[in-house]
Amino acid sequence: EDVIPAKLMEIELRRCAEQTNLFVELIEAVKTSLKYGTGIVKNYYHEDIRKSYVMQPKMEEVPVEVPAVNEGTGQALTDLGGRPQTTTEVQLQPVIGPDGQPVMEPVEQYYLAYAGPCSKWLDPFHFWVAPEATDLDDARYTIERMYRDQSHIQQKLKEGVYRLPPGITEISETFPEEEDVREEETGDGGQRNDSTRKPVELLEFHTDDGRVVTVMNKSAVIRVAENPYWHGEKPYAVFPDYLQEGEFFGIGEVEAIEGLQDLVNALYNQRIDNVRITMDAMFAVNSKAIEDERHLVNRPGGVIRILGAYLPSEALQPIELGDVTSSAFTEAEQLERLIERISGVGGYQLGQVEEGQNRTATGVSLITEQGQSKFALKVQLMEKVGLRRLARQWGSLIQQFLDEERTLRIQGPNGQWLFPTLTPEAIQGGLDYEIDVGSSTLTEQAAMERSLLLFQTLQPAIPQATIPLAKDVLEAHGIKDTLPYLMGMPQLDLMGQMMQAQQTGGTLIPLPAQGEGQEQQGQPAEQGQEQQYA
């Protein structure tokens, strides 16, 4: 009974990740980690309300004569002659166009496009932790700095999320009198006199005792509340590059090669300067022998007039500084190889084969595998430290805010569309989260060879594994719809169990084996097997 809720949660997590473009936020976090040593994302619940337009008949107010009714008795009123009395009312009726059809007009409406967990990349220079913290769990507090416009603050005040402290009636009263540093950074100094257009600085504190404190403009506490999320954790996930023992922030790729990169840049700059000086050589000039010194500029077809009886060699003498020696090129190449050794990024990782390297298939495979070991360690560290925490908090948010039944559209293992039903009760309970390590990726050719070798090795020894092994081989060769190839071989996949369990109220009922279902329904073997898969 635990497998089905876990599978439903996995499906919902994948759907939420696709809806919120989680991949893009993770790319930003990982890139920040590679540059500065630590990438940070914030996990929170988000509702995306969007506006759309629908075509509806255009309505207009039209006076209409309706029977008059006694309000007390509800009976129609009549005059002395017994004729029913009428009264004029204004009613809305559709506007009819020249063609006799109602005139249509667009009407805006709002709908909920997405409701669920969301993650957003954070700038590490706007995030602080307690000095002694080594990770988010043992941090006494975290501080996140953000900037919002005043309309956002006003909306939160109306919703009751924020409250102005006693003695403050306007947001403008919280701005410091001195010049705002943020205005200097954003270039908004010309708007400094207009207090309504100033951005509001918010400092959001998350403490280890489960409190959330928001401070506006470093002068007013506008929120003190309990952590609104069931998981009770600080709503962040951290992605380190190189871990520093006993420290929160790690070390990035740039710090390890910064000095070497400075040397390479200096050598390249000197080589560029040398080429410029060689192409635009300097001259020793006898100024008395030159008619006009402005003619000394190098130009195609230029002429320099010499005065008197001076020879050109006596008036002009080029200064030979010499070309850069080969040692400069050798030094730069050695530094580049040293950078590759430290960073682990060589020619094979860049899709290049350098001269003198082993070009045999075995040699390339060994070198590539050795180069990927470092990347595998990095990605695995980010998966275990950051993604597992992110998935755990996302799952808790889904359990907390899913308050009604929801139908999901997912693609099954054979490419077919499935529509499982997700209910709040179906995904409740404590779930464990593990991230599949996908850092040691294989090429398509390697995956095909491995699947074939595995099939040839295990199929004779384990006959019951023939169908899963055959399916892996087909998928490795790019065939998504494996059902036509596996017809006649019964296969009970987890998705089929889940769909069957939902239809029977949560009880797993094995699908009929080959022959049983066909005999009962009077169908041919192939048709019955197809229905089993459907």
Side-chain angles (χ1 to χ4, degrees):
E1 63 272 17
D2 294 334
V3 175
I4 304 270
K7 188 63 179 178
L8 288 172
M9 177 61 75
E10 183 179 346
I11 295 173
E12 178 66 4
L13 284 173
R14 185 178 292 109
R15 186 192 70 86
C16 293
E18 294 174 353
Q19 291 287 329
T20 59
N21 289 329
L22 175 63
F23 178 76
V24 177
E25 300 298 331
L26 291 181
I27 287 295
E28 296 187 37
V30 172
K31 185 176 180 181
T32 304
S33 175
L34 296 176
K35 290 194 298 184
Y36 305 115
T38 303
I40 306 171
V41 296
K42 184 176 183 179
N43 309 315
Y44 58 96
Y45 178 78
H46 174 65
E47 291 185 353
D48 184 9
I49 300 177
R50 300 182 182 179
K51 181 174 67 174
S52 65
Y53 292 88
V54 294
M55 299 302 294
Q56 294 182 358
K58 184 177 181 180
M59 307 299 290
E60 63 178 351
E61 294 183 351
V62 178
V64 179
E65 295 290 332
V66 297
V69 178
N70 189 326
E71 296 180 357
T73 62
Q75 297 179 354
L77 297 178
T78 58
D79 56 11
L80 296 178
R83 293 182 296 272
Q85 295 184 356
T86 60
T87 183
T88 302
E89 290 185 357
V90 177
Q91 296 182 355
L92 292 177
Q93 294 184 359
V95 178
I96 305 301
D99 56 354
Q101 300 295 326
V103 177
M104 306 299 289
E105 65 176 354
V107 178
E108 66 178 28
Q109 66 176 8
Y110 293 88
Y111 67 97
L112 184 63
Y114 172 79
C118 187
S119 294
K120 183 175 179 57
W121 167 82
L122 293 184
D123 188 344
F125 294 98
H126 292 265
F127 185 85
W128 300 272
V129 296
E132 72 282 358
T134 60
D135 55 30
L136 289 172
D137 293 328
D138 66 4
R140 290 185 292 111
Y141 61 85
T142 60
I143 307 175
E144 176 192 353
R145 179 169 63 184
M146 63 192 80
Y147 292 92
R148 299 288 185 268
D149 54 50
Q150 296 192 32
S151 61
H152 172 82
I153 305 299
Q154 292 287 359
Q155 181 63 29
K156 294 298 182 181
L157 290 173
K158 292 180 181 179
E159 296 174 359
V161 178
Y162 297 155
R163 293 183 180 180
L164 293 177
I168 297 179
T169 59
E170 297 291 339
I171 298 176
S172 58
E173 300 177 16
T174 64
F175 287 103
E177 296 181 359
E178 63 271 13
E179 187 174 354
D180 197 330
V181 177
R182 178 66 177 175
E183 291 176 349
E184 291 183 349
E185 296 177 355
T186 57
D188 294 337
Q191 303 172 359
R192 191 173 296 113
N193 295 330
D194 187 359
S195 61
T196 61
R197 303 182 67 179
K198 286 186 177 182
V200 178
E201 181 192 51
L202 298 179
L203 296 178
E204 185 174 285
F205 294 73
H206 288 269
T207 63
D208 57 356
D209 58 358
R211 287 182 299 164
V212 182
V213 181
T214 304
V215 180
M216 181 170 58
N217 291 328
K218 297 188 180 74
S219 59
V221 178
I222 59 176
R223 177 174 64 167
V224 178
E226 295 293 329
N227 191 331
Y229 300 132
W230 284 0
H231 55 69
E233 300 177 351
K234 302 176 183 67
Y236 304 101
V238 176
F239 298 87
D241 187 26
Y242 288 101
L243 283 177
Q244 285 285 88
E245 303 90 339
E247 296 185 14
F248 181 85
F249 292 98
I251 293 178
E253 296 295 319
V254 179
E255 186 171 349
I257 62 174
E258 183 179 5
L260 295 175
Q261 188 63 53
D262 289 340
L263 290 176
V264 172
N265 293 342
L267 289 175
Y268 273 100
N269 290 334
Q270 290 176 359
R271 286 161 53 178
I272 293 173
D273 293 340
N274 182 262
V275 171
R276 289 176 176 173
I277 292 175
T278 302
M279 298 181 66
D280 295 329
M282 295 187 300
F283 291 89
V285 180
N286 183 357
S287 59
K288 296 181 181 179
I290 302 300
E291 178 180 334
D292 190 345
E293 294 183 1
R294 292 176 296 179
H295 296 165
L296 296 175
V297 179
N298 286 339
R299 62 197 186 279
V303 176
I304 301 176
R305 292 181 175 83
I306 307 298
L307 297 177
Y310 289 100
L311 297 174
S313 59
E314 297 174 344
L316 297 173
Q317 184 66 38
I319 300 177
E320 298 292 342
L321 297 178
D323 195 2
V324 174
T325 61
S326 60
S327 61
F329 293 89
T330 304
E331 186 71 21
E333 293 176 357
Q334 292 178 352
L335 289 174
E336 290 175 358
R337 285 196 293 268
L338 186 56
I339 290 176
E340 291 180 359
R341 183 177 302 176
I342 295 176
S343 63
V345 181
Y348 282 106
Q349 281 70 41
L350 299 176
Q352 304 171 357
V353 179
E354 300 178 0
E355 294 294 333
Q357 290 183 335
N358 193 341
R359 297 192 179 188
T360 64
T362 304
V364 171
S365 177
L366 291 175
I367 295 176
T368 303
E369 184 177 353
Q370 293 172 358
Q372 287 181 346
S373 61
K374 181 176 182 179
F375 301 140
L377 175 62
K378 287 179 175 296
V379 177
Q380 186 175 7
L381 179 64
M382 293 182 180
E383 289 169 342
K384 299 299 182 182
V385 176
L387 284 179
R388 179 185 291 179
R389 181 185 180 93
L390 184 147
R392 184 175 65 249
Q393 293 188 1
W394 272 41
S396 177
L397 292 175
I398 292 174
Q399 292 178 334
Q400 179 178 354
F401 292 99
L402 182 65
D403 54 358
E404 60 183 6
E405 184 177 292
R406 181 182 303 170
T407 300
L408 306 181
R409 184 187 66 176
I410 61 174
Q411 193 168 18
N414 298 316
Q416 74 276 25
W417 288 108
L418 303 176
F419 297 86
T421 300
L422 187 65
T423 62
E425 297 77 14
I427 57 173
Q428 294 301 322
L431 299 176
D432 296 329
Y433 296 88
E434 180 69 19
I435 305 300
D436 290 337
V437 180
S439 51
S440 301
T441 56
L442 296 174
T443 62
E444 293 183 2
Q445 183 64 29
M448 293 166 56
E449 295 175 356
R450 187 183 70 170
S451 61
L452 286 173
L453 179 61
L454 191 63
F455 182 87
Q456 296 171 359
T457 304
L458 295 181
Q459 195 274 338
I462 312 177
Q464 61 270 26
T466 301
I467 294 179
L469 292 173
K471 185 176 180 181
D472 291 341
V473 173
L474 292 172
E475 291 178 348
H477 283 74
I479 300 175
K480 295 183 179 180
D481 188 8
T482 59
L483 180 60
Y485 299 88
L486 303 177
M487 291 291 288
M489 295 183 292
Q491 168 71 0
L492 186 63
D493 57 7
L494 184 58
M495 186 61 66
Q497 297 183 52
M498 182 183 66
M499 298 296 294
Q500 183 76 5
Q502 287 183 349
Q503 296 174 3
T504 58
T507 303
L508 278 177
I509 298 179
L511 295 177
Q514 182 182 5
E516 298 177 1
Q518 298 96 19
E519 294 177 0
Q520 296 175 2
Q521 300 176 10
Q523 299 174 345
E526 294 186 358
Q527 185 176 356
Q529 184 66 25
E530 183 177 358
Q531 183 174 1
Q532 172 185 339
Y533 276 93

